[in-house]
């Protein structure tokens, strides 16, 4: 029964391998990947349920005991993130069926998407720092291929930059692991945490902590390291953009959360202060970008950066409440970003442009699309009955509690500007006089709307059912706030 | 010995940084090669360079060198091979399609194709 942990990694992996063998049979590709992604969701739901009932689940691969072999660890946080990933993957796949185009589908699109999911689910589940690196590479390699697949000029140009940044950050990851190994002599995350608390407050640990922050910050786009993201995410088509925007940066955010709550909590005065300043700067940089552009893709892309800042601000405060808020917000944000990117994709499919000045009056012809977008936009900003509210409320309250007034105030202000940036799309794009666009007749809007509508419905349920979900999320936050729970579960002393 | 290796790795990182800041795409790829070379040597060095037999149980030695960093390096090497070959082919395609290997000219106008 313990093998349940590995299913969300194994199912996409096997699917990806099988799909390679008949890449030209598109119908079979679609069916198999849809079925496997539903199976992954079922496995993830069972896993969440199992973790909720029985506490943290660990699995020693090949029965080698904890510090010596690779251990897969599923605490509440990773189980929930795996579930969110699977749901987003299903929505993006459904969207791909009618939008990605036969040319891409014939060239291993579905296998690569499945390998991307292997990497993301693996990174959320692993309990070994070098294994985390390997899953990062699985994820990044798939993302390189997805970004360049199709080979248009803008994709080629942006892929070069994206790969270069990630090669450098991967080399830095290897360097950071090498330093950490030379200090603590182990790679298992729980064991590393034990060894670091034995060493206590050494300067070298702080340096390694900052190095890890740089590495994961490059993946997760925090303040001075986000420069690559706006250009790179602009290039690929909508479903790929949704997968990237929802999953890739969040893996970096998850890794920062994991390392800063499990390893480096001893000298929090320095490391978490640094994280807090960077998180605040990230929010500011993100909202400036979000209000500056009149390009719908750019607006949503900069909103990713804002959300990364908000989540990391919650992590840097490091109280039980702020961590609960961060987890609430993390799951909400993965979900709503995927929905928004898919909706933006539909708008671009209808109008053929992403320039807001050339779009108006979509609400007359496409009311379903318009109101879905409206609800998703309100959820993004955190209007009370919807999903973004509870997380931000807890983050802000925790921020005021530790007297970090500037940070909490900026989180509040950022909501307003985020709302402004998405309402700008709604007002300029959906209101006004209707226009005719070339090629809109054959846009399969009803089919495409299914994925984002599912995610938006999920966001509404998540917001309305906050009270019901709260025990699950607070269980995840409890593990983060008390690393002993994690360590005892893994090392079983 | 570790000190010597540290200097060597530092020089590799320095050369890699210099190359990656240049304009030509090929020089940048050579820089990434040097960077991963430095990172792999760093794992080896950080694992310790004490004397001992190679990690083969048939040697029947009293002490062996640490086998773990070697396994890590082997993993990191094949990963960086994969990424580098992809990057090289991408650079070749980009040269065919865009007609330049100058990073300044790969900038593109903001928000346009």
């Amino acid at each position: 029964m313990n093998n349940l942990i590995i299913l969300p990694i194994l199912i996409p992996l096997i699917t990806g391998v099988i799909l390679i063998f008949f890449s030209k049979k598109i119908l079979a590709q679609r069916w198999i990947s849809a079925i496997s992604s539903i199976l992954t969701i079922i496995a993830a739901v069972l896993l969440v349920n199992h973790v909720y009932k029985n506490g943290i689940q660990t699995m020693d691969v090949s029965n080698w005991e904890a510090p010596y072999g690779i251990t897969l660890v599923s605490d509440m946080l990773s189980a929930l993130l795996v579930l969110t990933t699977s749901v987003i993957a299903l929505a993006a796949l459904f969207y791909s069926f009618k939008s990605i185009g036969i040319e891409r589908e014939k060239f291993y699109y579905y296998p690569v998407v499945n390998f991307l999911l292997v990497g993301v689910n693996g990174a959320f589940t692993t309990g070994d720092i070098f294994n985390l690196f390997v899953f990062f590479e699985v994820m990044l390699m798939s993302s390189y291929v997805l970004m360049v697949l199709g080979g248009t000029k803008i994709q080629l140009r942006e892929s070069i930059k994206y790969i270069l940044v990630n090669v450098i950050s991967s080399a830095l990851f290897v360097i950071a692991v090498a330093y950490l190994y030379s200090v603590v002599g182990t790679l298992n995350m729980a064991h590393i945490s034990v060894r670091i608390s034995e060493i206590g407050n050494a300067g070298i640990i702080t340096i390694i902590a900052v190095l890890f922050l740089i590495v994961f910050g490059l993946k997760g786009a925090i303040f001075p390291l986000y420069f690559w993201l706006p250009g790179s995410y602009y290039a690929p088509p909508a479903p790929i953009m949704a997968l990237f925007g929802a999953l890739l940066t969040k893996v970096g955010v998850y890794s920062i959360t994991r390392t800063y709550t499990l390893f480096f909590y001893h000298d929090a005065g320095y490391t978490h202060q640094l994280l807090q300043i960077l998180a605040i700067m990230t929010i500011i940089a993100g909202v400036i970008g979000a209000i500056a552009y009149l390009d719908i893709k750019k607006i949503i892309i900069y909103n990713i950066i804002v959300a990364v800042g908000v989540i990391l601000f919650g992590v840097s405060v490091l109280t039980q409440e702020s961590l609960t808020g961060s987890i609430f917000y993390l799951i909400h944000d993965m979900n709503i970003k995927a929905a928004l990117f898919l909706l933006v994709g539909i708008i671009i499919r209808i109008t053929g442009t992403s320039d807001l000045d050339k779009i108006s009056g979509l609400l007359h012809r496409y009311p379903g699309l318009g109101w879905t977008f409206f609800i998703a936009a309100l959820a993004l900003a955190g209007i009370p009955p919807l999903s973004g509210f509870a997380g931000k409320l807890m983050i802000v309250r925790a921020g005021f509690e530790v007297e970090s007034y500037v940070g909490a105030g900026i989180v509040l202000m950022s909501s307003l500007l985020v709302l402004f940036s998405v309402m700008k799309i709604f007002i300029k794009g959906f209101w006004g006089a209707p226009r005719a666009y070339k090629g809109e007749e054959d846009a399969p809007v009803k089919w495409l709307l299914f994925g984002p509508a599912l995610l938006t419905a999920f966001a509404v349920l998540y917001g309305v059912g906050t009270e019901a979900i709260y025990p699950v999320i607070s269980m995840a936050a409890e593990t983060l706030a008390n690393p002993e729970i994690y360590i005892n579960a893994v090392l079983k002393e | 010995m570790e000190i010597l290796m540290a200097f060597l790795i530092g020089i590799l990182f320095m050369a890699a940084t210099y190359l990656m800041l240049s304009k030509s795409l090929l020089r940048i790829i050579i820089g990434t090669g040097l960077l991963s070379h430095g990172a792999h040597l760093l794992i080896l060095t950080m694992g310790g360079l004490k004397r001992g037999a190679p990690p083969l149980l048939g040697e029947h030695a009293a002490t062996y060198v640490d086998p773990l960093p070697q396994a890590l390096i082997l993993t990191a090497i094949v990963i960086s091979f994969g990424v580098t070959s992809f990057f090289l082919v991408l650079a070749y395609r980009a040269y065919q399609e865009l007609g330049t290997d100058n990073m300044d000219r790969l900038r593109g106008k903001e928000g346009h194709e």
Side-chain angles (χ1 to χ4, degrees), chain A residues 356-397:
Chain A
L356 263 183
D357 281 336
K358 294 182 186 148
I359 307 171
S360 73
L362 283 174
L363 200 57
H364 293 269
R365 303 276 303 277
Y366 307 97
L369 173 66
W371 295 117
T372 313
F373 186 87
F374 184 70
I375 295 171
L378 290 186
L380 177 73
I383 305 295
L386 300 167
S387 64
F389 175 67
K392 221 173 236 179
L393 176 70
M394 277 183 257
I395 291 173
V396 168
R397 215 161 57 183

Side-chain angles (χ1 to χ4, degrees), chain A residues 214-468:
Chain A
I214 294 172
V215 170
F216 296 136
L218 263 170
K219 317 259 187 203
I222 65 172
F223 162 59
L225 308 169
Y226 71 94
F227 53 86
W228 56 271
L229 186 132
S232 301
Y233 281 19
Y234 198 84
I240 299 174
M241 210 158 53
L243 283 174
F244 283 12
L247 306 178
L248 296 195
T249 51
K250 302 309 182 294
V251 177
V253 171
Y254 163 81
S255 306
I256 292 176
T257 312
R258 184 62 83 199
T259 49
Y260 271 62
T261 53
L262 187 61
F263 301 170
F264 308 118
Y265 56 89
H266 301 285
D267 187 15
Y270 184 83
T271 49
H272 288 65
Q273 196 70 39
L274 179 68
L275 183 61
Q276 190 157 355
I277 294 167
L278 292 181
I280 292 170
M281 298 298 283
T282 310
I283 299 175
I284 295 174
V287 290
I288 289 175
I291 54 179
Y293 283 94
L294 270 182
D295 183 308
I296 46 181
K297 278 202 255 180
K298 278 270 185 290
I299 293 172
I300 309 294
I301 286 171
Y302 275 99
N303 272 313
I304 300 177
I305 299 171
V306 181
V308 166
V310 171
I311 296 163
L312 288 180
F313 177 75
V315 172
S316 75
V317 171
L318 206 64
T319 62
Q320 170 109 20
E321 189 179 27
S322 78
L323 288 169
T324 317
S326 280
I327 297 169
F328 252 113
Y329 201 75
L330 176 58
I331 294 169
H332 142 78
D333 188 65
M334 289 169 76
N335 177 45
I336 206 71
K337 282 290 144 56
L340 281 171
F341 273 118
L342 294 179
L343 289 167
V344 160
I346 299 177
I347 298 176
I348 294 172
R349 179 70 184 75
I350 293 170
T351 63
T353 176
S354 62
D355 188 348
L356 263 183
D357 281 336
K358 294 182 186 148
I359 307 171
S360 73
L362 283 174
L363 200 57
H364 293 269
R365 303 276 303 277
Y366 307 97
L369 173 66
W371 295 117
T372 313
F373 186 87
F374 184 70
I375 295 171
L378 290 186
L380 177 73
I383 305 295
L386 300 167
S387 64
F389 175 67
K392 221 173 236 179
L393 176 70
M394 277 183 257
I395 291 173
V396 168
R397 215 161 57 183
F400 281 129
E401 232 158 61
V402 299
E403 299 181 344
S404 169
Y405 297 114
V406 178
I410 286 177
V411 171
L412 281 176
M413 276 300 292
S414 78
S415 297
L416 192 65
L417 295 174
V418 162
L419 183 64
F420 168 69
S421 72
V422 278
M423 277 306 134
K424 193 167 64 182
I425 302 180
F426 186 73
I427 289 171
K428 286 185 80 105
F430 286 92
W431 287 355
R435 291 190 204 184
Y437 302 100
K438 215 168 69 180
E440 68 175 316
E441 299 308 326
D442 56 299
V445 175
K446 286 225 167 64
W447 174 284
L448 294 182
L449 199 55
F450 177 76
L454 180 82
L455 294 178
T456 313
F458 189 62
V460 174
L461 284 180
Y462 186 79
V464 174
T466 303
E467 199 69 44

Side-chain angles (χ1 to χ4, degrees), chain B residues 73-96:
Chain B
I73 292 170
L74 200 57
T75 315
I77 285 174
V78 291
I79 289 175
S80 71
F81 268 0
V83 175
T84 307
S85 53
F86 187 83
F87 200 1
L88 278 168
V89 174
L90 181 70
Y92 177 64
R93 275 284 289 152
Y95 180 70
Q96 281 183 325

Side-chain angles (χ1 to χ4, degrees), chain A residues 11 104 158 215:
Chain A
I11 295 172
R104 285 195 171 90
E158 296 304 332
V215 170

Side-chain angles (χ1 to χ4, degrees), chain A residues 23-327:
Chain A
S23 63
K24 308 299 176 209
K25 295 201 171 54
I26 294 168
L27 212 60
Q29 297 261 326
R30 288 177 183 169
W31 272 104
I32 291 176
S33 40
I35 290 168
S36 98
S37 111
I38 290 168
L39 283 179
T40 316
I41 292 178
I42 294 171
V45 169
L46 289 176
L47 181 61
V48 169
N49 188 35
H50 197 65
V51 173
Y52 185 61
K53 283 191 179 131
N54 306 318
I56 298 178
Q57 297 298 304
T58 63
M59 176 188 167
D60 297 330
V61 178
S62 306
N63 266 344
W64 292 102
E65 277 188 20
Y68 303 112
I70 287 173
T71 311
L72 298 179
V73 186
S74 207
D75 64 347
M76 204 42 164
L77 176 60
S78 11
L80 284 174
L81 291 176
V82 166
L83 176 60
T84 318
T85 305
S86 319
V87 174
I88 290 167
L90 181 68
L93 271 174
F94 254 85
Y95 188 94
S96 308
F97 292 160
K98 288 274 172 168
S99 81
I100 199 76
I102 285 178
E103 285 309 307
R104 285 195 171 90
E105 284 179 304
K106 274 188 179 165
F107 279 92
Y108 305 96
Y109 174 73
Y110 295 114
V112 180
V113 169
N114 275 296
F115 289 134
L116 182 82
L117 296 177
V118 173
V120 173
N121 283 343
F124 285 145
T125 316
T126 186
D128 182 286
I129 195 79
F130 196 76
N131 196 227
L132 178 67
F133 166 73
V134 175
F135 275 124
F136 258 110
E137 289 302 312
V138 172
M139 174 184 93
L140 290 172
M141 266 301 241
S142 321
S143 73
Y144 303 154
V145 178
L146 283 178
M147 184 166 277
V148 81
L149 193 66
T152 60
K153 281 186 178 166
I154 180 172
Q155 281 180 306
L156 286 168
R157 207 175 58 212
E158 296 304 332
S159 301
I160 287 175
K161 298 166 195 169
Y162 178 72
I163 293 182
L164 179 62
V165 167
N166 279 302
V167 165
I168 293 169
S169 82
S170 297
L172 282 174
F173 197 171
V174 172
I175 292 164
V177 169
Y179 284 147
L180 192 61
Y181 180 72
S182 79
V183 175
V184 298
T186 179
L187 293 170
N188 180 296
M189 290 199 204
H191 202 210
I192 290 174
S193 176
V194 173
R195 289 272 172 88
I196 287 180
S197 21
E198 280 164 8
I199 299 166
N201 214 345
I204 184 79
I205 297 294
T206 308
I207 292 171
I208 294 171
V210 174
L211 191 52
F212 270 107
L213 183 62
I214 294 172
V215 170
F216 296 136
L218 263 170
K219 317 259 187 203
I222 65 172
F223 162 59
L225 308 169
Y226 71 94
F227 53 86
W228 56 271
L229 186 132
S232 301
Y233 281 19
Y234 198 84
I240 299 174
M241 210 158 53
L243 283 174
F244 283 12
L247 306 178
L248 296 195
T249 51
K250 302 309 182 294
V251 177
V253 171
Y254 163 81
S255 306
I256 292 176
T257 312
R258 184 62 83 199
T259 49
Y260 271 62
T261 53
L262 187 61
F263 301 170
F264 308 118
Y265 56 89
H266 301 285
D267 187 15
Y270 184 83
T271 49
H272 288 65
Q273 196 70 39
L274 179 68
L275 183 61
Q276 190 157 355
I277 294 167
L278 292 181
I280 292 170
M281 298 298 283
T282 310
I283 299 175
I284 295 174
V287 290
I288 289 175
I291 54 179
Y293 283 94
L294 270 182
D295 183 308
I296 46 181
K297 278 202 255 180
K298 278 270 185 290
I299 293 172
I300 309 294
I301 286 171
Y302 275 99
N303 272 313
I304 300 177
I305 299 171
V306 181
V308 166
V310 171
I311 296 163
L312 288 180
F313 177 75
V315 172
S316 75
V317 171
L318 206 64
T319 62
Q320 170 109 20
E321 189 179 27
S322 78
L323 288 169
T324 317
S326 280
I327 297 169

